[in-house]
Amino acid sequence: RIRAGEALLVDRLRPPSIGADVVAVFASPDEESRIAVAELVTRDGAHVTLREARAARPVQVPRAAIAELYLISGRFDGYVID
């Protein structure tokens, strides 16, 4: 389980598979991007379904609303950012 503040190792080259933990970077018209750490539940040409750890159920997001989707390939054990 990924904990708040935990340092993650993100692979920007390998595409994530269904069931993988991902960092989703949401497209934003302003300068500030919103990100989410979630499980990739489903993906098709029009939508991506994500399940955040604290969410009761998965959320379907239009594919155009996500700028990038990165695979979380590991974490730095014992290293937590305050």
Side-chain angles (χ1 to χ4, degrees), residues 11 26 35 70:
D11 189 333
F26 291 88
I35 66 166
Y70 299 125

Side-chain angles (χ1 to χ4, degrees), residues 48-65:
V48 173
T49 304
L50 302 170
R51 179 183 296 121
E52 291 186 77
R54 62 180 174 251
R57 63 179 111 178
V59 175
Q60 190 177 61
V61 180
R63 183 65 181 106

